[in-house]
Amino acid sequence: MNCRELINLLADYLDGSMDPELREELERHISMCEPCMNFLRTYDRTRIITRQVRIEEIPEEFRSRLKSFLLKKIREGRGAVDRYTSPQKGEGEE
Amino acid sequence: MSENVVVDDERIIEGLSEGQEWAVEALVDKYYGRIYNLAMSILRNESDAEEITQDVFMTVYEKIGSFKGDSALYSWMYRICVNACLMRLRSRKRTDAVSIEEFMPVFTEEGKHASQVQDWSPEVERRVLNKELGEVLRKFIGELPDKYRVVLVLSDVEGLSNEETAHILGLSIPAVKSRLHRARLYLRGRLEKYLTEGKLDS
Ligand SMILES: [Zn+2]
């Protein structure tokens, strides 16, 4: 396995879907090749911090705005027919 | 995530198909954060993300009858959301799409690294709580061509498995893997340039 082949296998290596023999070969290469070791470390770190992009503040008033938008649309869709159910008790058993 | 009681998907689905308003509210309480975040990650624009989120919930309400329980509700919602985002992107004229080739690793003929590879991961670690790094990363993700960005967002930002991502996007698993890998290589290369040369532009 050369460096190019190894780099192409990094995703499989990190998600654990690689077969054990290939894994061993990859680890053997990495233990003897500093560039690949550094590449793996930075590739993995990139993958991990990407997850943190998600923590984004969501405007809280957006939730209520979304609810009123949907309920208004739904009620309009029903036309004159009143089928309002109270939010807490509309789910009672038959 | 919220102070509201989280309602089971099954009950929400049942309520929605009966046109119950409490079910719409429960659906919003449970999923608006995830859907908004997803739309935001793909579109990088607050008002677009808000509009798409409204569309997604309206579609879910209207199409709940066609939801087959063979996948999770959120997975179906993600699919609706991704499709809506892609449609929105197609209608936008993008001027900032980059070629990702420039940031792919380069090898010699024998398949060895053509240039030095430094380990700058401790530097990322050091800046992990730094707001700027997050901003920079969002910018880089935003630069990815759409087909790479949606895969990266579902897999690495949302944390879905390759199987789930493939299902949501209607792609094969090998296609997901290869796009994900190239998207990561791009981000890695971009970050490397930023951290070692302080360069923000490609
Ligand atoms: Zn190597």
Side-chain angles (χ1 to χ4, degrees):
Chain A
M1 182 186 304
N2 64 29
C3 302
R4 188 210 314 266
E5 288 159 352
L6 185 143
I7 298 306
N8 277 326
L9 292 169
L10 285 183
D12 289 344
Y13 177 65
L14 291 172
D15 74 17
S17 69
M18 185 176 256
D19 81 62
E21 262 175 59
L22 202 56
R23 191 176 189 85
E24 224 174 90
E25 197 186 333
L26 185 145
E27 283 171 349
R28 213 174 317 123
H29 177 123
I30 283 185
S31 68
M32 296 180 302
C33 178
E34 204 188 334
C36 279
M37 171 61 97
N38 289 345
F39 203 102
L40 167 65
R41 286 191 177 134
T42 49
Y43 180 96
D44 194 28
R45 183 57 50 190
T46 301
R47 182 183 69 113
I48 292 165
I49 49 162
T50 302
R51 182 89 173 113
Q52 291 175 354
V53 163
R54 189 169 188 272
I55 307 157
E56 203 155 1
E57 271 174 51
I58 301 166
E60 180 54 37
E61 84 268 12
F62 174 51
R63 187 206 323 224
S64 34
R65 203 155 63 227
L66 178 59
K67 281 186 184 174
S68 8
F69 170 86
L70 292 169
L71 294 181
K72 183 165 169 276
K73 275 249 175 180
I74 291 165
R75 285 168 190 165
E76 278 170 9
R78 284 181 193 148
V81 191
D82 254 335
R83 284 205 288 148
Y84 300 156
T85 45
S86 83
Q88 276 82 36
K89 289 173 188 156
E91 41 195 289
E93 302 92 311
E94 327 289 82
Chain B
M1 272 228 308
S2 77
E3 67 283 8
N4 299 51
V5 181
V6 176
V7 184
D8 280 350
D9 283 351
E10 275 168 49
R11 292 191 59 211
I12 293 179
I13 293 164
E14 205 183 296
L16 288 176
S17 40
E18 291 166 359
Q20 303 276 3
E21 292 187 358
W22 66 261
V24 175
E25 297 196 52
L27 184 76
V28 170
D29 287 336
K30 195 167 177 182
Y31 292 111
Y32 88 106
R34 288 169 86 170
I35 295 299
Y36 179 78
N37 247 317
L38 177 61
M40 217 16 218
S41 299
I42 299 175
L43 298 169
R44 306 253 41 97
N45 172 297
E46 280 174 26
S47 60
D48 280 358
E50 183 166 342
E51 236 180 88
I52 293 290
T53 305
Q54 289 178 344
D55 289 352
V56 170
F57 281 93
M58 206 53 217
T59 307
V60 169
Y61 176 77
E62 283 167 351
K63 299 276 166 70
I64 195 69
S66 69
F67 171 67
K68 303 176 203 72
D70 59 353
S71 61
L73 181 61
Y74 76 82
S75 157
W76 186 59
M77 292 177 75
Y78 271 28
R79 186 171 197 151
I80 294 170
C81 183
V82 169
N83 287 337
C85 289
L86 288 176
M87 268 167 69
R88 176 62 54 99
L89 288 172
R90 262 174 234 132
S91 71
R92 248 194 226 170
K93 280 228 165 65
R94 291 198 71 195
T95 48
D96 52 346
V98 294
S99 152
I100 68 169
E101 293 309 322
E102 193 192 331
F103 287 92
M104 293 298 117
V106 182
F107 301 95
T108 64
E109 258 174 56
E110 312 89 74
K112 291 191 170 162
H113 295 272
S115 56
Q116 268 198 353
V117 182
Q118 288 170 17
D119 180 14
W120 39 263
S121 60
E123 184 59 21
V124 172
E125 198 95 48
R126 208 175 60 75
R127 298 196 200 186
V128 85
L129 294 175
N130 188 323
K131 266 207 153 177
E132 189 190 308
L133 186 66
E135 280 311 308
V136 162
L137 200 58
R138 287 197 190 103
K139 169 177 155 49
F140 294 162
I141 293 171
E143 290 168 354
L144 282 166
D146 302 343
K147 66 173 190 171
Y148 295 104
R149 188 166 66 258
V150 288
V151 172
L152 182 98
V153 164
L154 289 174
S155 298
D156 283 352
V157 180
E158 296 297 320
L160 302 185
S161 69
N162 291 332
E163 287 73 15
E164 283 176 301
T165 301
H167 176 76
I168 287 167
L169 297 177
L171 290 171
S172 69
I173 290 172
V176 166
K177 282 187 169 184
S178 112
R179 287 182 195 185
L180 177 60
H181 182 57
R182 286 172 63 77
R184 286 172 178 171
L185 289 177
Y186 176 77
L187 290 187
R188 189 203 155 277
R190 230 27 200 96
L191 270 175
E192 178 168 80
K193 191 162 181 181
Y194 169 72
L195 291 169
T196 59
E197 298 173 28
K199 291 216 174 101
L200 254 185
D201 298 308
S202 52

